[in-house]
Amino acid sequence: MRVAFAGTPEFARVALAALLTSPHAVPLVLTQPDRPAGRGMKLQSSAVKQLAVAHGVPVVQSRSLRLDGKFPDEAHAAQAALQAADLDLLVVAAYGLILPQWVLDTPRHGCLNIHGSLLPRWRGAAPIHRAIEAGDTTTGITIMQMDAGLDTGAMLLSETLEIRPGDSTATLHDRLAEQGARLLMQTLDQLQAACLQPRTQPLEGVNYAHKIEKAEGPLDWSQPAAVLERRIRAFDPFPGCTTEWAAQTVKVWRAAVAADSPDPAGAVPGQVLRSDGGVLRFACGQGALDLLELQVPGGKRVAVADFLLRHPQVKG
């Protein structure tokens, strides 16, 4: 088949890599425009664009696909490119732009999405983060037929994946990306064999995985320790959870619920309960949290034992 691809970050790059090694032709790739990144804020191509260019695949980087939107010239150019590609299918993975109806109607077999959740559990932009934050023990990949709604289309294939106790968004992301690429290949095989049975999503169990905002990073010590521990894992690598200490914002990358300190008597949420023996313990609204890996502004992630050696002024 002739299969175009629309995606931007590493999650999408893994799927594109699998598609490029398949028997299918990839005549066109859509991805987000280059954006400033790094300390020098130099323009940087997306992971998907870098792979496409390396394989000589034409790339379209429209800021919008709405023909009547803010960038109509770019949208019309994208439309012309998609129509000229004579597509059987468009595969979408973490693209970052809403697809107007004209895009959904262009390929002969429509558009497929690789979604990082077992629909309809987490629809929306941040299904991996929100699954960890909510304390889910399983997640997975759903390959769905795209429609005009937000992740509401018919499900074609899905597969469950365990969320391990220590998983962060970074570690779970990598396993889901590999799973998504594999499931995409299975979907394309079954689509060609005409043996797919689309399933309508159930109306029950719908949750929306809202986009992660930087404002969600600061830890609210009045929350239970278990809730904060999950949030720290969910927000790794972005935006990172933070707390204020010694008039500076410190990032907290790993933590564990303090099993031997269920409810410290008389402790105030946010109070340092212990800062010795390689332990930095904070009181929470319920229980206490041991911080395991921290980062000060301008520094690197370090284990808490190293942090305490460098900052002996921390007091319990």
Side-chain angles (χ1 to χ4, degrees):
M1 293 187 294
R2 292 179 62 80
V3 183
F5 188 88
T8 299
E10 178 63 19
F11 182 88
R13 188 204 65 80
V14 175
L16 177 59
L19 187 58
L20 288 169
T21 59
S22 75
H24 306 288
V26 183
L28 187 68
V29 162
L30 285 74
T31 191
Q32 288 277 335
D34 297 357
R35 305 210 188 279
R39 294 196 175 185
M41 296 302 288
K42 295 181 179 179
L43 284 179
Q44 183 171 319
S45 301
S46 72
V48 162
K49 179 183 177 180
Q50 293 177 39
L51 182 62
V53 170
H55 283 78
V57 180
V59 176
V60 170
Q61 293 181 273
S62 297
R63 287 173 286 180
S64 171
L65 296 174
R66 289 183 52 187
L67 300 176
D68 59 349
K70 190 175 180 180
F71 306 101
D73 291 345
E74 294 182 24
H76 278 92
Q79 183 181 44
L82 284 166
Q83 291 174 343
D86 188 28
L87 299 176
D88 294 303
L89 197 68
L90 173 65
V91 172
V92 181
Y95 177 32
L97 289 183
I98 294 175
L99 301 190
Q101 191 62 46
W102 74 260
V103 179
L104 301 177
D105 295 339
T106 296
R108 279 180 282 274
H109 298 294
C111 303
L112 302 186
N113 179 242
I114 307 171
H115 187 74
S117 170
L118 294 177
L119 290 170
R121 171 60 176 158
W122 292 110
R123 294 174 178 172
I128 303 175
H129 305 73
R130 299 306 183 189
I132 294 175
E133 184 182 23
D136 293 0
T137 58
T138 58
T139 185
I141 290 289
T142 303
I143 307 294
M144 54 166 283
Q145 187 84 43
M146 297 183 71
D147 61 14
L150 177 62
D151 299 328
T152 56
M155 302 180 293
L156 302 179
L157 284 182
S158 61
E159 185 178 88
T160 300
L161 185 69
E162 176 192 8
I163 300 179
R164 298 166 184 166
D167 265 330
S168 65
T169 289
T171 59
L172 184 57
H173 163 282
D174 291 351
R175 301 205 309 280
L176 283 170
E178 294 292 341
Q179 183 185 41
R182 176 170 50 79
L183 215 60
L184 171 64
M185 294 299 102
Q186 294 178 21
T187 302
L188 296 182
D189 289 345
Q190 293 185 32
L191 183 62
Q192 280 195 294
C195 60
L196 279 175
Q197 296 293 329
R199 295 170 290 137
T200 301
Q201 292 189 37
L203 298 177
E204 301 78 22
V206 175
N207 293 277
Y208 286 94
H210 298 286
K211 181 181 177 181
I212 302 296
E213 303 289 349
K214 286 186 178 181
E216 298 181 73
L219 292 171
D220 177 1
W221 293 109
S222 68
Q223 295 289 313
V227 171
L228 297 179
E229 188 273 337
R230 293 198 304 265
R231 180 166 293 182
I232 290 165
R233 290 189 286 115
F235 291 3
D236 179 2
F238 177 86
C241 283
T242 61
T243 190
E244 295 300 315
W245 168 77
Q248 62 182 344
T249 300
V250 178
K251 286 202 170 184
V252 182
W253 292 113
R254 283 195 306 122
V257 176
D260 61 337
S261 182
D263 283 300
V268 178
Q271 177 184 343
V272 177
L273 300 174
R274 183 179 170 188
S275 59
D276 56 20
V279 175
L280 182 55
R281 179 169 298 170
F282 278 73
C284 304
Q286 180 181 333
L289 198 65
D290 287 340
L291 308 190
L292 303 178
E293 190 175 33
L294 305 171
Q295 183 180 12
V296 297
K300 297 180 179 179
R301 296 189 186 194
V302 296
V304 71
D306 189 14
F307 175 83
L308 291 172
L309 285 174
R310 298 183 186 186
H311 306 281
Q313 65 270 43
V314 177
K315 300 294 182 182

